[in-house]
Amino acid sequence: MSLTVKERNRYITEILNGTYSSLKAVVPINYELSKPKLVEQSIHIQFGVLIGITGDIKGKLVLDGQTSIFGSVGETMFGMPLEGEMLTSFSGELGNMIAGGLSTNVAESGINIDITSPTIVQGNTKLSGYKKALHVSVNLENVGEMGICLLLD
Amino acid sequence: MVKVLVTDDAAFMRMQLKDNLTKLGLEVVGEAVDGADAIEKCKELRPDLITMDITMPEMNGVDAVKEIKKLDGNVKMIMCSAMGQQNMVLEAIQAGAQDFIVKPFTFERIKEAVEKVF
Ligand SMILES: [Mg+2]
């Protein structure tokens, strides 16, 4: 059963808002958001984390940014500098916590989604295979910029 | 000393949990990376308590709780997951978990869960 355009748009709005609230709950850093942009070309990522979304709406949530940004977020949250494998593992877990919070938030609006374990994406990876993609820049106060991409199947 | 098996696919989370549980005077006797691994390590290590993540690559935490309950009715289990929707919490508790911690957690929340269980 495919979604009507109206339902699909409601789901997208709920998922974006659910992601912002989750980010606020997980990361104790003030941030400013850009307006969501429709991505027309393919997406290239140097470093990021990808979480699969299944259930009422299918797609992927991707957080991307420089490793140093993920490192600063980890240091703010856990009070210790992170490097190497622990930084990679933290980055995956950050994606998991944000997507987990998102799934909790949208459940309150009657949207049921499940999430997959995070996949770390690195080294100029091209993301493809989606029908629609939205990108939002998150400017984390005194830390820098992180991107949120919502890719819909 | 209470013996604990920590289950999470993220090494970073296992480290956090281990630190917090050790500070509470518990002995972390093992770490499992997914549900299937938790079942194996539970048989091998016979822990008193298992912390259980939900979203993991091989067998999710709720299914692992169900299996472990069949193996050992006495072992206590505390879920520790990023997903906190009501149906998920209910499913885990019905499966046999004693408490449900939503990530990110504080030391106080871990302490409260451990005190509730023992
Ligand atoms: Mg996990």
Coordinates of all heavy atoms in Angstrom, one line a residue, chain A residues 93 96 116-118, chain B residues 7-10 13 33 53-57 80-82 103, ligand 1:
Chain A
E93 N 27.2 5.5 17.6 CA 26.3 5.5 18.7 C 25.5 6.9 18.8 O 24.3 6.9 19.1 CB 27.0 5.3 20.0 CG 26.2 5.0 21.2 CD 25.2 3.8 21.0 OE1 25.4 2.9 20.2 OE2 24.1 3.9 21.6
N96 N 22.9 6.4 16.4 CA 21.9 5.5 17.0 C 21.0 6.2 18.0 O 19.8 6.1 18.0 CB 22.6 4.3 17.6 CG 21.7 3.4 18.3 OD1 20.7 2.9 17.7 ND2 21.9 3.1 19.6
T116 N 17.9 0.6 12.0 CA 19.0 -0.4 11.9 C 20.2 0.1 12.7 O 20.3 1.2 13.1 CB 19.4 -0.6 10.5 OG1 20.0 0.6 10.0 CG2 18.3 -1.0 9.6
S117 N 21.1 -0.8 12.9 CA 22.4 -0.5 13.5 C 23.1 0.5 12.6 O 22.9 0.5 11.4 CB 23.3 -1.7 13.7 OG 22.7 -2.6 14.5
P118 N 23.9 1.4 13.2 CA 24.6 2.4 12.4 C 25.7 1.8 11.5 O 26.3 0.9 11.8 CB 25.2 3.4 13.4 CG 25.3 2.6 14.7 CD 24.2 1.6 14.6
Chain B
T7 N 25.9 -5.8 27.2 CA 25.6 -6.1 25.8 C 25.3 -4.8 25.0 O 24.4 -4.1 25.3 CB 24.4 -7.1 25.6 OG1 24.6 -8.2 26.5 CG2 24.3 -7.5 24.2
D8 N 26.1 -4.5 24.0 CA 25.9 -3.4 23.1 C 26.8 -3.6 21.9 O 27.9 -4.0 22.0 CB 26.2 -2.1 23.8 CG 25.5 -0.9 23.2 OD1 25.8 -0.6 22.0 OD2 24.7 -0.2 23.8
D9 N 26.3 -3.2 20.7 CA 27.1 -3.3 19.5 C 28.2 -2.2 19.4 O 29.1 -2.4 18.7 CB 26.2 -3.4 18.2 CG 25.3 -2.2 18.1 OD1 24.9 -1.6 19.1 OD2 25.1 -1.8 16.9
A10 N 28.0 -1.2 20.2 CA 29.0 -0.1 20.1 C 30.0 -0.2 21.3 O 29.6 -0.2 22.4 CB 28.3 1.3 20.2
M13 N 29.8 2.5 23.9 CA 28.7 2.3 24.9 C 29.1 1.3 25.9 O 28.8 1.4 27.1 CB 27.4 1.9 24.2 CG 26.3 2.9 24.2 SD 26.1 3.9 25.6 CE 26.0 5.5 24.8
V33 N 28.5 -8.3 21.9 CA 28.3 -7.4 20.8 C 26.9 -7.4 20.1 O 26.6 -6.6 19.3 CB 29.4 -7.4 19.8 CG1 30.8 -7.1 20.4 CG2 29.4 -8.8 19.1
D53 N 21.3 -3.9 25.0 CA 20.9 -2.9 24.0 C 19.8 -3.5 23.2 O 19.6 -4.7 23.2 CB 22.2 -2.7 23.1 CG 22.0 -1.7 22.1 OD1 21.1 -0.8 22.1 OD2 22.8 -1.7 21.1
I54 N 19.1 -2.7 22.4 CA 18.1 -3.3 21.5 C 18.5 -3.4 20.0 O 18.6 -4.5 19.4 CB 16.7 -2.6 21.6 CG1 16.1 -2.9 23.0 CG2 15.7 -3.1 20.5 CD1 14.8 -2.2 23.3
T55 N 18.9 -2.3 19.5 CA 19.3 -2.3 18.1 C 20.7 -2.8 17.9 O 21.7 -2.1 18.2 CB 19.2 -0.8 17.5 OG1 17.9 -0.3 17.8 CG2 19.4 -0.8 16.0
M56 N 20.8 -4.0 17.4 CA 22.1 -4.6 17.2 C 22.1 -5.5 15.9 O 21.0 -5.9 15.6 CB 22.5 -5.5 18.4 CG 22.7 -4.7 19.7 SD 23.2 -5.8 21.1 CE 21.6 -6.7 21.4
P57 N 23.2 -5.7 15.3 CA 23.2 -6.4 14.0 C 22.6 -7.8 14.0 O 21.7 -8.2 13.3 CB 24.6 -6.4 13.5 CG 25.3 -5.4 14.4 CD 24.5 -5.3 15.6
C80 N 19.0 -1.2 27.8 CA 19.6 0.1 27.7 C 19.7 0.4 26.2 O 20.5 0.0 25.4 CB 21.0 0.0 28.2 SG 21.8 1.6 28.4
S81 N 18.7 1.2 25.8 CA 18.4 1.4 24.4 C 18.2 2.9 24.0 O 17.7 3.7 24.9 CB 17.2 0.6 23.9 OG 16.8 1.0 22.7
A82 N 18.5 3.2 22.8 CA 18.2 4.6 22.3 C 16.7 4.8 22.0 O 16.2 5.9 21.9 CB 19.0 4.9 21.1
K103 N 18.9 5.7 26.4 CA 20.2 6.4 26.1 C 19.9 7.8 25.5 O 19.0 8.0 24.8 CB 21.0 5.7 25.0 CG 21.5 4.3 25.4 CD 22.2 3.7 24.2 CE 22.5 2.3 24.3 NZ 22.9 1.7 23.0
Ligands
MG1 MG 23.0 -0.5 19.4

